[in-house]
């Protein structure tokens, strides 16, 4: 299967909007970018469904401090088994923007997305420690 340029742009936009919502601490806006049956898993446990995601992100964001920037870098988008599925691998940097700015966390992110009703949504987001290049 292949993805059009428009699909790839829409997928990057969903991921960017998730970063923006996380930075604003907007749990409702964040979970709206996920499918109702989505799974968030990784270093902070496994959370399935929008309500579980909403409950999980508050404590995670609180541990980051009052303000952070979430930046997704180098997204690699792979088509899924159908035209309505895709997988994105990227690096997430969480930055404390106070002077001087400081890197809080780097993580490897794998996201599976599905197009439903004409919109791309995240179905699974897996967070892992960033791999150290060798």
């Amino acid at each position: 299967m292949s993805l059009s340029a428009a699909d790839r742009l829409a997928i990057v936009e969903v991921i960017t909007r998730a970063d923006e919502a996380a930075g604003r601490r907007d749990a409702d806006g964040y979970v709206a970018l996920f499918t109702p049956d989505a799974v968030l898993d990784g270093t902070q446990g496994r959370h399935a469904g929008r309500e579980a995601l909403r409950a999980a992100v508050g404590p995670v964001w609180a541990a980051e401090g009052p303000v952070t920037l979430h930046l997704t870098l180098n997204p690699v988008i792979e088509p899924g088994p159908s035209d309505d599925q895709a997988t994105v691998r990227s690096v997430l940097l969480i930055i404390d923007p106070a002077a001087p700015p400081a890197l809080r966390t780097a993580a490897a992110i794998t996201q599976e997305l599905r197009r439903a009703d004409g919109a791309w949504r995240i179905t699974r987001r897996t967070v892992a420690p960033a791999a150290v290049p060798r």
Side-chain angles (χ1 to χ4, degrees), residues 46-115:
R46 183 180 186 281
H47 313 280
R50 284 183 175 158
E51 291 308 313
L53 269 68
R54 184 179 285 107
V57 295
V60 170
W61 295 339
E64 293 175 9
V67 177
T68 55
L69 298 173
H70 288 221
L71 305 174
T72 293
L73 304 177
N74 303 337
V76 175
I77 303 170
E78 301 287 341
S82 79
D83 288 340
D84 293 328
Q85 295 175 302
T87 300
V88 181
R89 292 181 324 281
S90 60
V91 173
L92 173 67
L93 297 183
I94 299 177
I95 309 290
D96 180 343
L103 176 63
R104 297 287 307 265
T105 303
I109 308 292
T110 302
Q111 297 181 94
E112 296 173 18
L113 292 93
R114 180 174 65 228
R115 181 177 30 216

Side-chain angles (χ1 to χ4, degrees), residues 5-84:
D7 285 328
R8 290 175 182 275
L9 182 59
I11 289 166
V12 169
E13 184 171 330
V14 168
I15 293 167
T16 301
R17 287 184 182 277
D19 286 344
E20 288 178 338
R24 288 190 320 269
R25 308 304 195 244
D26 177 3
D28 291 334
Y30 184 78
V31 301
L33 299 168
F34 287 77
T35 60
D37 61 344
V39 173
L40 173 63
D41 63 355
T43 57
Q44 301 291 325
R46 183 180 186 281
H47 313 280
R50 284 183 175 158
E51 291 308 313
L53 269 68
R54 184 179 285 107
V57 295
V60 170
W61 295 339
E64 293 175 9
V67 177
T68 55
L69 298 173
H70 288 221
L71 305 174
T72 293
L73 304 177
N74 303 337
V76 175
I77 303 170
E78 301 287 341
S82 79
D83 288 340
D84 293 328

